[in-house]
Amino acid sequence: MKATTDGKEWYGMVIDLDKCTGCGACSVACMAENNLSYREDETDKLRTATWMKLYRLNNGKPFPKTRVAFLPRPCMHCQNTPCVSVCPVNATQIDEKGVVSQIYPRCIGCRYCVAACPYHARFFHWWDPVYPKGLENYLNPDVSLSMRGVVNKCTFCHHRYQRAKDKAFMEERRELKDGEYTTACVEACPTKAITFGNLKDPESRVAKLSKNPRAFRLLEKLGTQPKVYYLTSQDWVRRQGDNYLEKEDLKKVS
Amino acid sequence: MSIDRRDFLKFVIGGAVGTVISPLPWVSMDEVARWTQRWAPLPDKGGAVSFIHSTCRLCSGGCGIRVRLIQEKRAVKIDGNPDHPVNRGGLCPLGLAGLQYLYLDENRIKAPMKRTGMRGGGDWKPVSWDEALSEISGRLKEWRQKNLSHTVAFLNGEGDGTQAFLAGRFLKAYGSPNYIRSYHSGELEEIVTQNMHGLRARINYDLPRSDYVLSFGCALLDGWGNPCWTAQAFEAWRQEDRQDRPKVVQIDTMATATASLADEWIAVKPGKEAFLALALAQAILENSGTPKNVSGLEELKAFLKKNFPSDLVTKETGIEQGTILRIAKEFSSARQPVALWGKGKGDLPAGLFEAQAVHLLNLLTGSINRPGGAFLQSGFSFGSWPQTPIDETARKGLSQPRADEAFSVKYAKTGNLEYRFFSNVAQNKFYPINALFLNEVNPVFSLDESIIRQALERIPLVVSFSSFMDETTALADWVLPSPTFLERWDDSTQSVGVPFPVYGLTKPVLPPLHDTRSLGDILIQLAQKIGGTVGQALPFENMQGAIKQTAKGLYDAKKGRISGGPAAEAEKNSSGPLDSFDKFWEQLIVQGTWYGEDRKGESGKTFTLASMPQEPAGLTEKQDNTSYPFWLIPQSLLLLQSGYWANPPFLTKLLGEETLKHKDLVAQIHPRTAKSLSLLEGDRVEILSNRGKIRARIHLFEGAAPDCLFAPLGMGHRAFDPTLSGRGANPYSLLDTREDPATGLQTAWATRVNIKKI
Amino acid sequence: MTENILSKEMDIIPEGLPRCSLGKFSLWILLLLLVLGWGLLAAFLIFWKGLNQTNMNDYFGFALWITFDLAVIALGAGAFFTGFLTYIWGKKELKAIINFAVMIGFICYSGAILILTLDIGQPLRSWYGFWHPNVHSMLTEVMFCITLYLGVLTIEYAPLILENRKINAIPGAHYFAHNLHEWMFIFAGTGTFLSFFHQGSLGGMFGVMFARPFAFREGIFIWPWTFFLFIASAIASGPAFTVLITTLTQKVTGRKLVKQEVLALLGKISGGLLAVYLILKFADTIYWAAVKLPAQGLRFLDQFQGPYGFWLMVAELGVFGILPVLLLLNKKIRMSPGWLAFACLLTCTGVVFNRFVFTVVSLALPVLPFDRLVTYWPSWQEWAPAFAVLAYGALIISLSYRYLPVFPQEKELN
Ligand SMILES: Nc1nc2c(c(=O)[nH]1)N[C@H]1C(S)=C(S)[C@@H](COP(=O)(O)OP(=O)(O)OC[C@H]3O[C@@H](n4cnc5c(=O)[nH]c(N)nc54)[C@H](O)[C@@H]3O)O[C@H]1N2
Ligand SMILES: Nc1nc2c(c(=O)[nH]1)N[C@H]1C(S)=C(S)[C@@H](COP(=O)(O)OP(=O)(O)OC[C@H]3O[C@@H](n4cnc5c(=O)[nH]c(N)nc54)[C@H](O)[C@@H]3O)O[C@H]1N2
Ligand code: SF4
Ligand code: SF4
Ligand code: SF4
Ligand code: SF4
Ligand code: SF4
Ligand SMILES: [Mo]
């Protein structure tokens, strides 16, 4: 579903893969911020919910030319969302800031959106969430918990937007400063590989970085128009950002 | 009453119609839906939010943290302190998961306990702190009276900070030479610098400013050194607009994160890093200018030429001469190059031969104490503390030889020999040990378990200060549980590996959850109970007072700055806000971090050939290649803690299928090697070494060196919650650790193994 | 006592139609109840413990059950299409089989809805689809249409129940049944309209997933080509399924129930429609392979990997596509009960394959180049409800056949 893009805010993210060491801090920060639960055995990677998932890319060459690279994958918050329009009950929506939300109490758990998202950014809650004794203490009161049988996903830490807005309001400002609304993964990254902000503000760091010649987006040919951009100077990494025919040239960011 | 068919039909139809037009079905549908919304627990709503600055103590990185609190009683998130000079708002994954150590009830020890049944039998009775401390101090007094103070030993996994300082000071005043730190990279650094520079110092690398980094197997991106400092460096190396375009070269046996993200990866044969380093040294000596202030270079050149001819090097390392010459040229012509040693996380001792061979490259290129290079720095100075008072009993005790033979004639330069301590005690070598205090160590997990058990059997009193029932604590007689770093006063006196001073204050961000006392507080209380010079050595009411004493030294130095505040220099002349120690202390408590900005190194004696170590015979002695045709290479992962700290659930959740699959450890192997063993992806194998055997599944990976098996360290615990306990296997138990005769340290890396399909 | 029960039971059986002994029948019903019980146990586990009881995962969000639903709904299309042919197109000879076709449709749709209830993570919220519908979602259309259509099928099935000897004796019931018959063309029309839409929407569900290159198709206005292809394949296979089940019932009961001409007519219609469908399907596949996929950087042959290999396409379109067309369009074969049933079996298998490919293969194929193919095998908790629905169908057919005058030609033919 195409979102209305008339507003002044249009949030997006840039992840510099040249700077990403695959440390996983972003994933852990996301789980801690967003009250994700864990189970005893999380090794079935097809059923484990890490909103920020770390992919290990491989250049496929033989030893010792083999190289891996890391690609952290939040929800792309697609402008042209494959997931929103398919939901039969409007349980997932894209708002005027470009944030694709998920409303747990409304979701019926049909998983049509899961099937529609090519990025695997959506997670079905297969089990009742369990917080072993004591851990209920660290739950973030700003983030509601997803119950069994519904879908959950990265929200661009939307609760932080409200916090930033409240602060701006107290300081009698109507607009947010660059970086004032930022996400838990961005804050946590020890190499500062992730940048978040308003793509419509030409002065924001995220807007500038998204126009970097190193920038590309995942599966651009599908027309989803992700708002998460990646940067890389390595051709083999960039080539894995989309499907290419053998002789096809790398697509430059559009 | 009889109901005929007609009545029944009326009843059914009437009832149905009635129900549908009544609000009942709609209300109940709605209620049912509401009920489903309560299937997830509701976070305790709201309350005032506050942020408290403190310092992470989960490793020696000393990162600045900011804890988000609800109503000052519930900690809901740990973030990085944006004003901290090392982590700058970011954090490593371990620090971010810190609240799981605090809150995961199942793992915490809630009150002091005394063993009731057999050692390790798991039967404990809760005791009061008074009872515990009276009994332990009573025994300590008794030994002192009997002139047996030296039979009390303290093994500390925590190195920096006032708490560790107190522990050392306590033992000194009490009269025991047996204050032993478990292995840390600084141990070897001090020996290297003593041999090559004539001074004992830590080596701190100015990584962000280096423009050529030659890493000999260091898992730079997987926990080597200080994860947040290497992260800062990596970011700096990858700065798009940086003029000098730094180059990172990783010498490694596998396409690890570091090898892959380096600019160049040189695949070396396992354990042959030293040969490569010496070949590079030789090439530099022959082709590049020699550094000033270094004598004996001509002899070195001849020595290398004779002992490490290029064909031997190529044969041993598997690396072509051309590559060696090219790297030597690049390295020596870089402006600010640096060479790094310490394989994996650097937490397992390397051989001195290898460490010195690599460090030689820094020496030859003038990278010592130069921006971007290796800084020789002594540790934090506890200058504000008075000398430890020592009485006659203590003097006698301290004059006894150390039970671990550190600084003995045989191991003159080695400061701590944890393994040797246990093996000596197990063999009853010097004198009986009456008591062992354990803090933040888990040798049962990371060393040869049978030796540790034998040693512990000979020690009548074993006391652990652990917050968790780890495998070693399970064998103690007393457990005096510590609060976590979020519930106690503590400090980090140096951010490890960082070439400028960083002091981090740790304070309780919330009241202790359980009936715990910090090691510092316990030591102070024990000292008071013992009295005399021991009491005088620790003259505080509590740990907060001791830390204040340490911080006084920072204030008196009139240097550096408190994070988020102005530099002390600027303050000095004006009567600024920090014009008294009380104000300084107040600010420090609020901001959490003090740091100095200049990188200063200590210069040492010049290098001479006399200190050039020979390759130790014991280490390269032929291993049994026919029974054990493969190499096992332990893998360090940032997401898998392998030392005292057991992996927190969030990190275990992120482990990939190349590390853990259900209950099985996963070891990576080259597809060709797997094929030679008729192994397929996911097959279960038994891995055997001369030390033991473990089970694992295999994962095929093109980037793994052929004929090697890469097994991650950190799984295979018997203790802790179900995310860890009984899952995976512990490769430590396979490692063929051998003593490096030059240092007495147990070096362990690649180990010969056999692989059997099961 | 026993005799009493036996004679009472005889009273409910339609007059003049011999049926097997009550003992034999009970044994058969018991068997079906066992399978049903197994399914109920699985359903209980799924409701109690959640969908973790299945082998579905975040890659296979749709799996066996959706395949099953799509397949039975397609096969259940025999009901609306036969209704359409009978009441609207005016093929009066099909009256001989319309009852049975409607019954099969009813079983298919009610079974599908039962399975769907299991399949959603929050069954207690299933009514949200009507309360907060998203009109842009194909799934909304499906939900609306199939629930409404199940209502229509119930109404179409009701007169048959009312024709039971005992019930028909009640005057009200008799007139009600009679009147319903009169108005049946209205329901047939409504059913046809609803069915066309939801059969299409089921295909549309896949075709609109524009980020899933395997499934995505363009089309007309809001409807992707899969919308039309699903309609075509459903109306082609629905009648074939009716023929198949009728033949099976004849085999089991050992009685001739419908004139072979009637079945042959359905077979002919099915074959013709299948031919049309295949032409469209080939056109669609060729365009997809030659134009759509390359535009997204994908190769046709890469769309068949691992166990989901190219054999699937050969099977679906060749063995279960072209072959049954050839068979069904041959009059001799149509008039041979065995061959006709065989051809219909091929047709039905073809549509099951098609639904399987769209559901499972669409999701198994990685879209991200660094992702990998995943495969899936259902857990017993998934199989059990599917088999239970089959048992439920058999149960309804058995009871209906025994106690209701399902086949108007039965007396005449035996
Ligand atoms: N909590 C925790 N702490 C740890 C570790 C851990 O895992 N957890 N890891 C350890 C490891 S592996 C490392 S590499 C280190 C690195 O951490 P560093 O801080 O680099 O280690 P050191 O330089 O040994 O720090 C100890 C300092 O304490 C002072 N000190 C200690 N005892 C005495 C004493 O008796 N007298 C005097 N005057 N000074 C003393 C010295 O100045 C010495 O420099 O950190 C260790 N600390
Ligand atoms: N996420 C994260 N991970 C880190 C770090 C971090 O900051 N963050 N820091 C890293 C750093 S700098 C270090 S030094 C480590 C330290 O962190 P840990 O590994 O937690 O430190 P220790 O528990 O001291 O681990 C050293 C182990 O080696 C054993 N040992 C002692 N002497 C010998 C010996 O002679 N031979 C052998 N084979 N073993 C011996 C000891 O029993 C001890 O258990 O942690 C590293 N890991
Ligand atoms: S990434 Fe997936 S979940 Fe996120 S907006 Fe795009 S399609 Fe939807
Ligand atoms: S799973 Fe939930 S959010 Fe996704 S399509 Fe179904 S109802 Fe909508
Ligand atoms: S933006 Fe927030 S929700 Fe999304 S991955 Fe980052 S931390 Fe998680
Ligand atoms: S925190 Fe930063 S460096 Fe670490 S994995 Fe995430 S993006 Fe990469
Ligand atoms: S690097 Fe060490 S001190 Fe810093 S956050 Fe991680 S565990 Fe804590
Ligand atoms: Mo260390």
Side-chain angles (χ1 to χ4, degrees), chain B residues 13 26 29 48 67 69 71 156 171 174-175 321 333 352 383 390 402 521 535 599 634 638 688 709 711 714 717 722:
Chain B
I13 294 170
W26 314 107
M29 257 159 79
V67 184
L69 289 171
Q71 293 199 307
N156 200 353
L171 253 77
Y174 178 77
Q321 185 63 12
S333 54
L352 185 63
I390 289 177
R402 278 177 63 138
D521 283 333
R599 295 144 159 84
L638 193 58
L688 308 96
L709 194 65
H717 278 283

Side-chain angles (χ1 to χ4, degrees), chain C residues 55-68:
Chain C
N55 277 351
M56 287 191 274
N57 53 46
D58 291 330
Y59 279 53
F60 285 105
F62 292 168
L64 172 72
W65 287 339
I66 295 288
T67 308
F68 184 86

Side-chain angles (χ1 to χ4, degrees), chain A residues 19-26 54 72 189-191 193-194:
Chain A
K19 283 187 187 158
C20 173
T21 66
C23 72
C26 47
L54 255 185
C189 177
T191 61
I194 322 178

Side-chain angles (χ1 to χ4, degrees), chain A residues 47 86-87 104 111-112 115, chain C residues 54 119 125 134 137 205 212:
Chain A
R47 274 188 177 187
V86 301
C87 175
Y104 306 144
R111 304 183 301 288
Y112 191 7
Chain C
T54 70
D119 203 350
R125 300 181 187 170
N134 170 13
S137 173
M205 270 181 70
R212 286 283 183 175

Side-chain angles (χ1 to χ4, degrees), chain A residues 18 33 37 41 43 45 49 63 67-68 133 137-142 145 187-188 190-192 212 214, chain B residues 43 45 68 74 77 88-91 93 96 100 103 105 235 238 240 260 265 653 655 661-662 702 705:
Chain A
D18 287 339
E33 176 82 17
S37 58
D41 184 346
T43 62
K45 295 302 167 193
F63 182 88
R67 295 289 182 279
V68 297
K133 184 161 180 260
N137 282 303
Y138 70 31
L139 294 179
N140 182 352
D142 298 345
L145 278 68
E187 276 185 352
T191 61
K192 306 204 181 300
N212 189 296
R214 289 186 297 142
Chain B
K45 264 293 163 202
R68 183 169 180 234
R74 210 156 64 74
K77 179 86 188 292
R88 307 163 305 147
L91 274 189
L96 287 161
Q100 296 192 319
Y103 280 130
D105 190 79
E235 185 202 349
R238 297 297 179 243
E240 211 172 358
S260 290
W265 163 36
K653 177 172 175 175
L655 293 176
K661 187 70 194 172
H662 302 305
E702 278 284 348

Side-chain angles (χ1 to χ4, degrees), chain A residues 86-89 91-92 102 107-114 122 151:
Chain A
V86 301
C87 175
V89 294
T92 178
Q102 179 71 21
C107 173
I108 61 171
C110 69
R111 304 183 301 288
Y112 191 7
C113 55
V114 176
R122 292 180 160 270
V151 161

